[in-house]
Amino acid sequence: MATPPTGAAEAPATESAALIGAPTTGPAGPRGTVPTARALARARRVAAAKDTWAMFRQDRAGMVGAAILLVFVVVALFAPLIAPRELLDVTKQLESPRYAPPSLEHPLGTDNFGRELWARMVWGARISLIVGIAATAMSMVIGTVMGLAAGHFSGLVGGVLMRIIDFFLVIPSLILAIVLSAVLDRGLLTVVIAIGVTSWAGTARVVRAQTLSAESRLYVERARVLGAGHWHIISKHLLPAVMPLVMANTTLTVGSAIIAESTLAFLGLGGAGQQSWGTILKNAMDASATTAGYWWYILTPGIAIVIVVLAFTLVGRAFEAIANPTLRAR
Protein backbone atom coordinates (compact mmCIF):
# COMPACT_ATOMS: atom_id res chain seq x y z
CA MET A 1 0.00 0.00 0.00
CA ALA A 2 1.37 3.41 -0.95
CA THR A 3 1.85 5.87 1.86
CA PRO A 4 0.62 9.46 1.47
CA PRO A 5 3.32 12.09 1.08
CA THR A 6 4.47 13.91 4.14
CA GLY A 7 2.11 16.76 5.08
CA ALA A 8 -0.89 15.46 3.12
CA ALA A 9 -2.66 14.29 6.25
CA GLU A 10 -1.93 17.54 8.01
CA ALA A 11 -3.46 19.78 5.35
CA PRO A 12 -7.14 19.17 6.20
CA ALA A 13 -6.49 19.79 9.88
CA THR A 14 -4.68 22.99 9.03
CA GLU A 15 -7.57 24.21 6.86
CA SER A 16 -10.13 23.33 9.56
CA ALA A 17 -8.14 25.22 12.14
CA ALA A 18 -8.09 28.26 9.90
CA LEU A 19 -11.87 28.14 9.49
CA ILE A 20 -12.54 28.19 13.23
CA GLY A 21 -10.08 31.00 13.88
CA ALA A 22 -7.25 28.98 15.41
CA PRO A 23 -3.65 29.96 14.64
CA THR A 24 -2.21 28.03 11.75
CA THR A 25 1.33 27.47 10.61
CA GLY A 26 2.75 26.81 7.20
CA PRO A 27 6.07 26.55 5.55
CA ALA A 28 6.58 30.30 5.82
CA GLY A 29 5.54 30.54 9.51
CA PRO A 30 2.30 31.78 11.21
CA ARG A 31 -0.45 32.77 8.83
CA GLY A 32 -2.51 34.69 11.49
CA THR A 33 -6.03 34.07 12.67
CA VAL A 34 -9.47 34.41 11.11
CA PRO A 35 -11.49 36.98 13.14
CA THR A 36 -14.59 35.65 14.81
CA ALA A 37 -18.05 37.17 14.45
CA ARG A 38 -17.83 38.64 17.95
CA ALA A 39 -14.50 40.29 17.16
CA LEU A 40 -15.88 41.73 13.94
CA ALA A 41 -18.93 43.12 15.77
CA ARG A 42 -16.69 44.68 18.42
CA ALA A 43 -14.51 46.25 15.74
CA ARG A 44 -17.57 47.71 14.03
CA ARG A 45 -18.82 49.19 17.30
CA VAL A 46 -15.44 50.76 18.01
CA ALA A 47 -15.27 52.20 14.49
CA ALA A 48 -18.82 53.56 14.79
CA ALA A 49 -17.99 55.19 18.13
CA LYS A 50 -14.89 56.83 16.63
CA ASP A 51 -16.90 58.13 13.68
CA THR A 52 -19.58 59.49 16.01
CA TRP A 53 -17.00 61.29 18.14
CA ALA A 54 -15.33 62.72 15.02
CA MET A 55 -18.66 64.10 13.75
CA PHE A 56 -19.55 65.41 17.20
CA ARG A 57 -16.26 67.33 17.43
CA GLN A 58 -17.13 69.13 14.21
CA ASP A 59 -20.26 70.58 15.85
CA ARG A 60 -19.05 73.67 17.72
CA ALA A 61 -22.32 74.24 19.54
CA GLY A 62 -22.33 70.64 20.73
CA MET A 63 -18.75 70.92 21.99
CA VAL A 64 -19.61 74.12 23.87
CA GLY A 65 -22.57 72.40 25.47
CA ALA A 66 -20.44 69.38 26.40
CA ALA A 67 -17.80 71.63 27.99
CA ILE A 68 -20.44 73.44 30.07
CA LEU A 69 -21.93 70.14 31.22
CA LEU A 70 -18.48 68.84 32.14
CA VAL A 71 -17.94 71.85 34.40
CA PHE A 72 -21.27 71.33 36.18
CA VAL A 73 -20.66 67.59 36.55
CA VAL A 74 -17.23 68.20 38.10
CA VAL A 75 -18.73 70.75 40.49
CA ALA A 76 -21.47 68.30 41.48
CA LEU A 77 -19.03 65.43 42.03
CA PHE A 78 -16.65 67.46 44.17
CA ALA A 79 -19.32 69.43 46.04
CA PRO A 80 -18.11 68.31 49.52
CA LEU A 81 -14.61 69.57 48.71
CA ILE A 82 -15.68 72.82 47.07
CA ALA A 83 -18.30 73.81 49.66
CA PRO A 84 -18.11 72.11 53.08
CA ARG A 85 -21.49 71.05 54.40
CA GLU A 86 -21.05 73.39 57.40
CA LEU A 87 -21.83 76.28 55.07
CA LEU A 88 -25.39 74.92 54.74
CA ASP A 89 -25.96 74.63 58.48
CA VAL A 90 -28.22 77.46 59.62
CA THR A 91 -27.02 77.24 63.23
CA LYS A 92 -23.44 77.95 62.14
CA GLN A 93 -24.30 81.05 60.12
CA LEU A 94 -25.68 83.20 62.94
CA GLU A 95 -23.03 85.89 62.46
CA SER A 96 -23.34 85.96 58.68
CA PRO A 97 -25.40 88.89 57.30
CA ARG A 98 -28.78 88.06 55.83
CA TYR A 99 -29.70 89.09 52.31
CA ALA A 100 -26.17 90.34 51.66
CA PRO A 101 -25.82 91.37 47.98
CA PRO A 102 -23.05 89.90 45.81
CA SER A 103 -19.62 91.22 46.76
CA LEU A 104 -16.02 90.07 47.15
CA GLU A 105 -16.85 88.65 50.57
CA HIS A 106 -20.09 87.06 49.39
CA PRO A 107 -19.64 86.22 45.66
CA LEU A 108 -23.29 85.34 44.99
CA GLY A 109 -24.85 86.93 48.04
CA THR A 110 -26.56 85.28 51.01
CA ASP A 111 -30.08 84.03 51.65
CA ASN A 112 -32.56 84.79 54.42
CA PHE A 113 -30.59 82.63 56.88
CA GLY A 114 -27.18 84.08 56.03
CA ARG A 115 -26.07 81.05 54.03
CA GLU A 116 -23.82 81.59 51.03
CA LEU A 117 -25.75 81.16 47.81
CA TRP A 118 -22.72 79.83 45.97
CA ALA A 119 -22.47 76.95 48.46
CA ARG A 120 -26.16 76.15 48.03
CA MET A 121 -25.76 76.32 44.26
CA VAL A 122 -22.86 73.85 44.36
CA TRP A 123 -24.86 71.32 46.38
CA GLY A 124 -27.98 72.06 44.35
CA ALA A 125 -26.16 71.09 41.15
CA ARG A 126 -25.73 67.57 42.53
CA ILE A 127 -29.44 67.08 43.27
CA SER A 128 -30.66 68.70 40.06
CA LEU A 129 -28.34 66.65 37.85
CA ILE A 130 -29.08 63.40 39.69
CA VAL A 131 -32.82 63.89 39.40
CA GLY A 132 -32.58 64.99 35.76
CA ILE A 133 -30.41 62.07 34.66
CA ALA A 134 -32.18 59.40 36.75
CA ALA A 135 -35.66 60.51 35.70
CA THR A 136 -34.57 60.67 32.06
CA ALA A 137 -33.08 57.17 32.25
CA MET A 138 -36.37 55.82 33.62
CA SER A 139 -38.33 57.70 30.97
CA MET A 140 -36.09 56.42 28.16
CA VAL A 141 -36.33 52.80 29.31
CA ILE A 142 -40.12 52.87 29.56
CA GLY A 143 -40.54 54.81 26.32
CA THR A 144 -38.16 52.58 24.37
CA VAL A 145 -39.77 49.35 25.56
CA MET A 146 -43.30 50.60 24.92
CA GLY A 147 -42.39 52.07 21.52
CA LEU A 148 -40.64 48.90 20.36
CA ALA A 149 -43.53 46.72 21.50
CA ALA A 150 -46.18 48.98 19.96
CA GLY A 151 -44.32 49.09 16.65
CA HIS A 152 -43.43 45.40 16.46
CA PHE A 153 -46.61 43.73 17.64
CA SER A 154 -49.77 44.13 15.61
CA GLY A 155 -53.39 43.37 16.26
CA LEU A 156 -54.87 43.61 19.74
CA VAL A 157 -51.53 43.91 21.56
CA GLY A 158 -50.31 46.77 19.41
CA GLY A 159 -53.66 48.55 19.62
CA VAL A 160 -53.79 48.35 23.43
CA LEU A 161 -50.22 49.63 23.74
CA MET A 162 -50.98 52.56 21.45
CA ARG A 163 -54.04 53.50 23.50
CA ILE A 164 -51.88 53.51 26.65
CA ILE A 165 -49.32 55.76 24.94
CA ASP A 166 -52.07 58.11 23.72
CA PHE A 167 -53.51 58.26 27.24
CA PHE A 168 -50.21 59.48 28.69
CA LEU A 169 -49.80 61.90 25.79
CA VAL A 170 -53.18 63.52 26.44
CA ILE A 171 -52.74 63.96 30.20
CA PRO A 172 -50.46 66.93 31.06
CA SER A 173 -47.27 65.40 32.43
CA LEU A 174 -46.68 68.20 34.94
CA ILE A 175 -50.16 67.81 36.45
CA LEU A 176 -49.70 64.06 36.77
CA ALA A 177 -46.25 64.55 38.31
CA ILE A 178 -47.71 66.96 40.86
CA VAL A 179 -50.41 64.42 41.78
CA LEU A 180 -47.87 61.61 42.17
CA SER A 181 -45.56 63.80 44.26
CA ALA A 182 -48.46 64.78 46.51
CA VAL A 183 -49.71 61.20 46.95
CA LEU A 184 -46.38 59.43 47.48
CA ASP A 185 -43.99 60.06 50.35
CA ARG A 186 -41.85 63.12 49.81
CA GLY A 187 -38.29 62.36 48.85
CA LEU A 188 -35.75 62.29 46.05
CA LEU A 189 -36.93 58.90 44.78
CA THR A 190 -40.52 60.14 44.61
CA VAL A 191 -39.49 63.08 42.43
CA VAL A 192 -37.53 60.78 40.10
CA ILE A 193 -40.49 58.39 39.78
CA ALA A 194 -42.99 61.20 39.28
CA ILE A 195 -40.96 62.72 36.44
CA GLY A 196 -39.88 59.44 34.84
CA VAL A 197 -43.34 57.85 34.82
CA THR A 198 -45.00 60.91 33.29
CA SER A 199 -42.51 61.86 30.55
CA TRP A 200 -42.02 58.67 28.51
CA ALA A 201 -44.95 58.90 26.10
CA GLY A 202 -43.25 61.25 23.64
CA THR A 203 -40.23 58.98 23.42
CA ALA A 204 -42.48 55.95 22.88
CA ARG A 205 -44.22 57.67 19.98
CA VAL A 206 -40.93 58.50 18.27
CA VAL A 207 -39.50 55.01 18.87
CA ARG A 208 -42.66 53.39 17.49
CA ALA A 209 -42.37 55.38 14.26
CA GLN A 210 -38.71 54.37 13.88
CA THR A 211 -39.60 50.74 14.66
CA LEU A 212 -42.26 50.66 11.94
CA SER A 213 -39.65 51.95 9.49
CA ALA A 214 -37.13 49.30 10.56
CA GLU A 215 -39.75 46.52 10.32
CA SER A 216 -39.98 47.02 6.55
CA ARG A 217 -36.26 46.51 5.95
CA LEU A 218 -35.05 43.40 4.17
CA TYR A 219 -32.82 42.05 6.94
CA VAL A 220 -35.75 42.04 9.37
CA GLU A 221 -37.94 40.24 6.82
CA ARG A 222 -35.17 37.72 6.23
CA ALA A 223 -34.80 37.06 9.97
CA ARG A 224 -38.56 36.55 10.27
CA VAL A 225 -38.62 34.13 7.31
CA LEU A 226 -35.73 32.14 8.80
CA GLY A 227 -37.78 31.57 11.94
CA ALA A 228 -36.43 34.22 14.32
CA GLY A 229 -38.62 34.88 17.34
CA HIS A 230 -39.95 38.19 18.62
CA TRP A 231 -37.18 38.59 21.21
CA HIS A 232 -34.44 37.96 18.64
CA ILE A 233 -35.87 40.45 16.15
CA ILE A 234 -36.42 43.13 18.79
CA SER A 235 -33.06 42.77 20.55
CA LYS A 236 -30.82 42.06 17.54
CA HIS A 237 -32.41 44.16 14.79
CA LEU A 238 -34.98 46.70 15.99
CA LEU A 239 -33.23 47.95 19.14
CA PRO A 240 -29.93 48.80 17.37
CA ALA A 241 -31.95 50.60 14.69
CA VAL A 242 -33.70 52.91 17.18
CA MET A 243 -30.83 53.45 19.64
CA PRO A 244 -29.26 56.46 17.82
CA LEU A 245 -32.62 58.24 17.96
CA VAL A 246 -33.10 57.29 21.61
CA MET A 247 -29.64 58.63 22.55
CA ALA A 248 -30.34 61.92 20.79
CA ASN A 249 -33.73 62.21 22.51
CA THR A 250 -32.16 61.42 25.89
CA THR A 251 -30.01 64.54 26.00
CA LEU A 252 -33.00 66.66 25.04
CA THR A 253 -35.16 65.10 27.75
CA VAL A 254 -32.66 65.71 30.56
CA GLY A 255 -33.22 69.45 30.30
CA SER A 256 -36.98 69.00 30.56
CA ALA A 257 -36.52 66.74 33.60
CA ILE A 258 -34.37 69.36 35.34
CA ILE A 259 -37.05 71.99 34.71
CA ALA A 260 -39.72 69.60 36.03
CA GLU A 261 -37.68 68.97 39.20
CA SER A 262 -37.25 72.69 39.72
CA THR A 263 -40.99 73.21 39.23
CA LEU A 264 -41.90 70.51 41.76
CA ALA A 265 -39.39 71.90 44.27
CA PHE A 266 -40.72 75.42 43.65
CA LEU A 267 -44.21 74.15 44.47
CA GLY A 268 -42.94 72.59 47.69
CA LEU A 269 -43.19 68.98 46.42
CA GLY A 270 -39.47 68.24 46.26
CA GLY A 271 -37.39 66.21 48.64
CA ALA A 272 -37.53 67.48 52.20
CA GLY A 273 -34.22 68.97 53.28
CA GLN A 274 -32.64 68.50 49.85
CA GLN A 275 -30.66 71.33 48.32
CA SER A 276 -31.63 71.90 44.69
CA TRP A 277 -31.95 74.90 42.44
CA GLY A 278 -35.73 74.61 42.55
CA THR A 279 -35.60 74.60 46.37
CA ILE A 280 -33.60 77.83 46.30
CA LEU A 281 -36.27 79.41 44.11
CA LYS A 282 -38.93 78.17 46.52
CA ASN A 283 -37.07 79.77 49.45
CA ALA A 284 -36.77 83.00 47.49
CA MET A 285 -40.51 83.03 46.88
CA ASP A 286 -41.23 82.39 50.57
CA ALA A 287 -38.95 85.29 51.46
CA SER A 288 -40.68 87.62 48.94
CA ALA A 289 -37.33 88.22 47.25
CA THR A 290 -38.98 89.70 44.16
CA THR A 291 -40.82 92.49 45.92
CA ALA A 292 -38.06 93.10 48.48
CA GLY A 293 -35.40 93.66 45.81
CA TYR A 294 -33.25 90.59 46.55
CA TRP A 295 -32.68 89.97 42.83
CA TRP A 296 -29.61 87.74 43.33
CA TYR A 297 -31.73 85.27 45.28
CA ILE A 298 -33.82 84.59 42.16
CA LEU A 299 -31.43 85.22 39.27
CA THR A 300 -28.67 82.90 40.50
CA PRO A 301 -30.62 79.60 40.41
CA GLY A 302 -32.67 80.75 37.42
CA ILE A 303 -29.60 81.45 35.30
CA ALA A 304 -28.02 78.14 36.35
CA ILE A 305 -31.12 76.22 35.23
CA VAL A 306 -31.18 78.04 31.89
CA ILE A 307 -27.47 77.38 31.25
CA VAL A 308 -27.67 73.65 32.03
CA VAL A 309 -30.84 73.14 30.00
CA LEU A 310 -29.29 75.03 27.09
CA ALA A 311 -26.12 72.91 27.31
CA PHE A 312 -28.11 69.67 27.22
CA THR A 313 -30.10 71.03 24.28
CA LEU A 314 -26.93 71.84 22.32
CA VAL A 315 -25.53 68.36 22.94
CA GLY A 316 -28.86 66.78 22.04
CA ARG A 317 -29.07 68.71 18.78
CA ALA A 318 -25.56 67.58 17.88
CA PHE A 319 -26.42 63.91 18.46
CA GLU A 320 -29.69 64.37 16.60
CA ALA A 321 -27.79 65.67 13.57
CA ILE A 322 -25.48 62.65 13.76
CA ALA A 323 -28.41 60.23 13.96
CA ASN A 324 -30.32 62.03 11.18
CA PRO A 325 -27.94 62.95 8.33
CA THR A 326 -30.57 65.18 6.66
CA LEU A 327 -30.14 67.70 9.52
CA ARG A 328 -26.38 68.16 9.08
CA ALA A 329 -26.67 70.59 6.17
CA ARG A 330 -29.13 72.85 8.03
Side-chain angles (χ1 to χ4, degrees):
M1 180 181 295
T3 59
T6 304
E10 300 177 356
T14 304
E15 295 177 358
S16 300
L19 290 176
I20 63 175
T24 59
T25 58
R31 296 190 317 185
T33 59
V34 177
T36 62
R38 183 174 298 178
L40 289 174
R42 186 183 302 111
R44 286 196 297 266
R45 287 194 294 266
V46 172
K50 291 181 179 179
D51 293 341
T52 301
W53 172 242
M55 289 185 289
F56 182 81
R57 287 188 302 175
Q58 296 177 358
D59 193 310
R60 295 183 179 179
M63 289 297 294
V64 171
I68 295 174
L69 291 180
L70 180 61
V71 172
F72 278 95
V73 170
V74 171
V75 169
L77 290 176
F78 295 97
L81 300 178
I82 299 174
R85 187 174 287 273
E86 289 77 11
L87 295 176
L88 304 178
D89 192 350
V90 178
T91 61
K92 297 182 179 180
Q93 308 299 325
L94 299 178
E95 298 181 359
S96 180
R98 299 182 178 183
Y99 299 116
S103 61
L104 293 178
E105 186 178 359
H106 309 286
L108 295 180
T110 60
D111 62 4
N112 51 322
F113 292 104
R115 294 174 294 183
E116 294 286 347
L117 275 182
W118 69 266
R120 297 190 64 186
M121 291 295 300
V122 168
W123 284 92
R126 170 174 289 193
I127 299 300
S128 296
L129 290 178
I130 288 176
V131 171
I133 295 175
T136 300
M138 179 182 295
S139 173
M140 290 299 105
V141 170
I142 299 175
T144 302
V145 171
M146 292 291 292
L148 284 172
H152 175 71
F153 295 102
S154 58
L156 179 61
V157 176
V160 170
L161 292 176
M162 275 306 303
R163 299 293 78 77
I164 295 175
I165 295 174
D166 292 338
F167 173 78
F168 278 90
L169 280 174
V170 171
I171 296 180
S173 58
L174 180 59
I175 302 299
L176 186 56
I178 292 174
V179 172
L180 290 176
S181 299
V183 171
L184 301 176
D185 295 334
R186 292 182 58 185
L188 193 62
L189 181 60
T190 299
V191 175
V192 172
I193 293 175
I195 298 174
V197 170
T198 58
S199 59
W200 59 268
T203 301
R205 194 84 179 188
V206 174
V207 171
R208 177 182 178 272
Q210 186 69 12
T211 302
L212 292 176
S213 176
E215 284 276 356
S216 61
R217 296 175 184 173
L218 294 178
Y219 63 87
V220 177
E221 294 290 342
R222 181 180 61 184
R224 185 178 291 107
V225 170
L226 292 176
H230 295 297
W231 173 251
H232 178 85
I233 293 176
I234 292 176
S235 61
K236 299 297 183 181
H237 300 294
L238 299 181
L239 182 60
V242 303
M243 278 308 296
L245 189 62
V246 171
M247 294 302 297
N249 196 34
T250 298
T251 52
L252 295 174
T253 308
V254 173
S256 301
I258 292 176
I259 294 178
E261 185 277 331
S262 302
T263 303
L264 293 177
F266 180 77
L267 296 175
L269 299 174
Q274 298 287 350
Q275 292 290 338
S276 70
W277 295 337
T279 304
I280 298 176
L281 287 174
K282 175 65 167 56
N283 298 151
M285 182 191 69
D286 294 339
S288 301
T290 303
T291 57
Y294 308 135
W295 52 267
W296 60 89
Y297 208 169
I298 299 175
L299 286 183
T300 301
I303 292 176
I305 294 172
V306 171
I307 292 176
V308 171
V309 172
L310 178 61
F312 273 112
T313 302
L314 293 177
V315 174
R317 293 299 183 188
F319 277 113
E320 187 178 10
I322 294 173
N324 189 359
T326 58
L327 299 176
R328 298 176 190 171
R330 297 185 180 182

